[in-house]
Amino acid sequence: MHVPVAIIGAGPSGSLLAWILRQRGIESIVFENRSREYVEGRIRAGVMEQNAVDLMIRAGIGERLQKESMYQRGVEIGINNSHHFLDFEKLIGIGVTVYGQSEVTKDLLGGLANERHNVLYETPVTKIEDHHSDKVKVTYEENGVAKQLTADFVLGADGYHGASRKSVPDGGIVMHEKTYPLGWLGIMVKAPQSKPVAFFTFHDRGFALLSMRTPEIQRLYLQVANDENLNEWSDDRIWDELDTRMGTPGWELIRGEIFQKDLAPLRSFFCESQRYGNMFLVGDAAHVVPPTGAKGLNSAFADVSVLSAGLIQHYTEDDSTILDNFSDLAVARNVQTQRFSGANTAKYHIFPGTNSFDRKMQQAELEYLVTDETAQISYAKQHTGLPFAHWPEL
Ligand code: RFL
Ligand code: PHB
């Protein structure tokens, strides 16, 4: 069998690519290692940039997002228990949107299912070969049986641990990586909102973040070690630690039932090229950022915007200009996102080996940010997201 486009991974990147291409009549098949329920239930990102929101809306899959998402006009920053509001809306006329990644994937995978799109769940891709030919070979495992097809293009949207990037021979793509001895202990909580915006805190006991998913469901994080034992964190210990790092007189962090606890180790990683022959890499397959900047899902959607624009131009106008520029455009944006996410991580976290001088400089950096309007404008522009280089014609 030969298909125009084989997409590996049905996370946000792969499912949005399949959805957009489908709107323009470009046929694709999607391979997903896990079940649909698993992908839809994966609690991850929560904050979307306006461009990511607009892409969903333009693609005709943003109806529920427009109804149920929560717009936020800025963020709050805590510096050793004093709270400061940065009003992005006032500074640059734009805020961010809260809509859980699990809602994004439910919308996209639901949309694809309604249109009977070919998404093969629990069907891992095991091998990709002949990247430089116009028949890239994909081997996958369906019900335990190895099968093969060929494609004009393979889109590697299979996340950091996926098969697509690993299929590139050594040296085929230059990669850069930094791991941190830090993790985020995340909780999902049934409780009303304690603040109308996300709250990032710098504290002598480490970083903490208050975010949200819906008016009734809150998402909170604590900086811990990357190999932290979650069994040592009772609900009471988590709440007490959050209170210590976030609390201030006159404000109360509202507690509630914790219905999920998870640990996310922090990582920075990117590929210097997002193309190898006729295979393109998008989203976490090509780059991972520490979550402090809320950029992972948004960078994935920026990649998808340019790549889908390129594939649509290629198939409908027989013009490969955008496709041929995809990798350079994607990498240029993603390097900037790495810089912002890394710098934002460095502002707040306590790193092993950090001394009192380093901590005072971190604090001074944040104090400058919360008092200087020029610094705030620059921060707001980066937090709310860089432009997308191309948009698909829909
Ligand atoms: P995903 O979501 O990892 O999806 C890849 C899919 O590929 C499948 N797969 C395979 N399928 C077939 N064959 C194989 N061999 C395969 N190998 C893997 C996997 O099962 C999976 O379904 O990558 P994608 O689509 O590129 O999406 C990226 C985002 O998930 C990620 O960047 C964000 O979640 C990052 N992130 C955040 N991003 C934001 O923009 N805003 C946020 O607020 C935000 N918060 C976060 C985050 C990530 C976090 N963690 C857990 C790392 C908060 C956290 C805690
Ligand atoms: C989240 O809501 O999960 C979230 C918000 C902001 C971040 C990271 C994660 O920077």
Side-chain angles (χ1 to χ4, degrees), residues 10-24:
S13 305
S15 54
L16 183 58
L17 275 165
W19 176 262
I20 292 175
L21 296 180
R22 186 183 178 86
Q23 304 315 301
R24 294 301 311 270

Side-chain angles (χ1 to χ4, degrees), residues 8-9 11-13 31-34 39 42 44-47 101 124-125 157-159 162-163 221 264 283-284 291 294-298:
I8 313 185
S13 305
F31 298 99
E32 169 54 53
N33 190 15
R34 314 298 293 248
V39 179
R42 207 157 30 200
R44 281 188 171 181
V47 178
Q101 179 166 327
V125 164
D158 48 352
Y221 300 97
D284 278 19
K295 292 295 177 210
L297 176 65
N298 293 302

